[in-house]
Amino acid sequence: MFGYRVPAPDEAMLISGGRRGLGGAPFRVVTGHGKFVLPIFRKTRFLSLAMSESEVVEKCVTRQGIALTVRAVIAFKVGNDHESIVNAGQRFLSDQEQMSVLTGRIFAGHLRSIIGSMTVEEIVTERQKLATEVLDTSKAEMAKIGLHVDSLQIQSIDDGQTGYIEAMSRPHKANIQRAAQIAQAQATQAAAEAEQAAARKQAEYARQTAIVQAEYSAEVDRAKAHADQAGPLALARAQQEVLAAQTELALKQAELREKQLVAEIVKPAEADAERIRVLALAEAERMKIQAEAAASFDRVALDRMLIDQLPQIVKEASAGLAGANVNVLNGADGLGEIAAGLVGQGLTILDSVRKNLGGSAVPGDGIERYLGAPGGGDDGPVDVR
């Protein structure tokens, strides 16, 4: 927009014309934002707030009267507060390069003043103390012109041709050299001791190696002797094992032959004997059975013969009664009863024998039972005189 101005982040915009700024300043200060400025009626200028540096090379005389050339670098900038910007703007706005020149001059004066109150030893050994004192003494003066110092570095201190600093460093150098020589001697001694220790260790290692080698050689000799003895011993053990195996084989062969003989001779003989015995028993049993059968057959044949003759026997007995002197108690009826009883007894015996033969009766159990038994008839008492 026409007439609207914005300062850079590291700048302060100073607007002059119109009403005055804060604190009676002849201009208004704007930072961090823009502002509308009427053209022709207002004038706008920019003051840099960026970091600047100034180098100081100054010859100073110490409290001992020794001239020193001191080189220092100052880092500074315009303060961020309104008062610092106003003070710097009133002094350096038209020529901002003058800030570095004026700052160098201010610090050169303070360096001469402070170094004049110190010895060379203090300046050389306490540079930070020197820088701090210079900053403290220049702070108020720099604030008046709106500048703020961030740091002060003492880069070098030179005494020219006087050689004071070098002479001052000689005792330290001597001490350092002496310490270095001592350290070197100690290092040499330590190296010698280390070499001796290494030599002792090497000798000890060689001794242990020789002992180990001797023990190894002895062990090898013992192993060789043992190996030399192991051959015959192994051969003897092998032969012994062969003999034992042969003996065991012979025993097994004898057992096998014994079993073969038993199988080939004894078992067949026992089998033949058993067969003969069984055959003999069978033959005896057969003969016994045949004898019993023959005896049974003879009895059966006899029984059959008797049975076949029984009718004739009964007939003859009946006929014999005709001439017998028989006292019949019941007269003619009694005689008829006797004859009828004899015929009935004969027929009964015949039927019984036939039944027994048909039912596989025991031989000899026919006629003997009926003829030989007393009272074989079924009728009452018969008196035969």
Side-chain angles (χ1 to χ4, degrees):
M1 182 182 291
F2 181 73
Y4 191 79
R5 308 297 297 274
V6 180
D10 59 347
E11 290 180 338
M13 185 171 62
L14 308 181
I15 304 172
S16 59
R19 58 188 182 89
R20 302 174 67 86
L22 295 176
F27 46 79
R28 287 177 293 171
V29 178
V30 178
T31 57
H33 60 87
K35 195 171 184 61
F36 182 77
V37 179
L38 292 175
I40 302 173
F41 299 100
R42 303 286 187 271
K43 188 175 183 179
T44 304
R45 302 287 298 274
F46 295 94
L47 178 66
S48 175
L49 303 179
M51 179 68 66
S52 301
E53 68 176 23
S54 177
E55 184 177 358
V56 177
V57 178
E58 189 69 21
K59 288 186 176 181
C60 307
V61 179
T62 65
R63 189 175 61 185
Q64 300 156 319
I66 299 172
L68 299 177
T69 301
V70 179
R71 183 183 298 273
V73 176
I74 304 100
F76 67 95
K77 65 182 291 295
V78 176
N80 293 327
D81 57 288
H82 184 271
E83 183 179 358
S84 296
I85 293 173
V86 171
N87 291 336
Q90 288 178 337
R91 290 169 177 81
F92 306 110
L93 187 59
S94 59
D95 189 4
Q96 298 186 29
E97 296 295 332
Q98 288 298 318
M99 286 190 293
S100 296
V101 176
L102 182 59
T103 300
R105 290 175 181 175
I106 292 173
F107 273 88
H110 289 291
L111 275 174
R112 287 195 300 271
S113 175
I114 294 173
I115 288 175
S117 63
M118 298 175 66
T119 63
V120 178
E121 290 79 3
E122 292 175 346
I123 296 171
V124 172
T125 58
E126 298 180 1
R127 289 190 180 186
Q128 188 59 39
K129 179 181 177 182
L130 173 63
T132 302
E133 290 184 0
V134 172
L135 284 175
D136 290 340
T137 54
S138 62
K139 184 180 298 183
E141 188 174 355
M142 293 290 290
K144 290 180 180 179
I145 58 176
L147 300 179
H148 174 74
V149 179
D150 288 337
S151 66
L152 170 64
Q153 296 294 330
I154 305 297
Q155 291 184 333
S156 65
I157 298 174
D158 186 13
D159 61 352
Q161 301 297 325
T162 60
Y164 186 89
I165 296 176
E166 183 179 358
M168 184 178 64
S169 64
R170 285 175 185 173
H172 300 286
K173 290 181 179 180
N175 291 332
I176 292 172
Q177 291 176 355
R178 183 171 61 255
Q181 292 174 356
I182 294 172
Q184 183 65 35
Q186 292 176 349
T188 303
Q189 182 180 0
E193 292 176 353
E195 290 179 357
Q196 293 176 359
R200 287 195 298 271
K201 289 182 179 179
Q202 187 174 4
E204 180 66 20
Y205 178 76
R207 185 181 70 83
Q208 292 180 356
T209 303
I211 293 173
V212 171
Q213 289 178 350
E215 292 178 352
Y216 178 75
S217 299
E219 185 67 23
V220 170
D221 294 338
R222 287 194 296 271
K224 185 176 180 182
H226 182 71
D228 294 339
Q229 295 176 358
L233 290 175
L235 180 60
R237 283 195 294 269
Q239 292 177 353
Q240 185 178 1
E241 291 177 358
V242 170
L243 292 175
Q246 291 177 351
T247 302
E248 185 178 358
L249 179 61
L251 292 174
K252 289 184 178 180
Q253 289 178 349
E255 293 178 357
L256 179 61
R257 183 56 183 164
E258 181 181 358
K259 292 180 180 179
Q260 289 177 350
L261 290 174
V262 170
E264 293 175 357
I265 298 174
V266 177
K267 294 297 182 181
E270 291 179 353
D272 291 339
E274 182 65 19
R275 182 177 61 79
I276 293 170
R277 187 181 67 81
V278 172
L279 289 175
L281 292 175
E283 183 64 23
E285 185 68 23
R286 185 183 66 79
M287 293 175 66
K288 180 180 177 182
I289 293 171
Q290 287 179 352
E292 292 177 354
S296 177
F297 179 77
D298 292 340
R299 288 192 297 272
V300 172
L302 179 59
D303 291 339
R304 287 185 179 276
M305 184 180 68
L306 291 174
I307 291 170
D308 292 337
Q309 296 298 325
L310 184 58
Q312 186 64 31
I313 292 171
V314 174
K315 181 179 180 181
E316 294 294 335
S318 299
L321 289 177
N325 186 15
V326 180
N327 293 324
V328 181
L329 297 179
N330 296 328
D333 294 331
L335 181 59
E337 290 177 359
I338 291 172
L342 288 174
V343 174
Q345 288 181 1
L347 293 175
T348 301
I349 291 170
L350 180 59
D351 292 335
S352 176
V353 171
R354 287 176 176 173
K355 289 180 181 179
N356 288 331
L357 289 176
S360 301
V362 177
D365 197 21
I367 297 175
E368 291 85 358
R369 181 185 300 174
Y370 294 100
L371 295 180
D378 294 331
D379 297 331
V382 178
D383 184 16
V384 181
R385 301 279 181 94

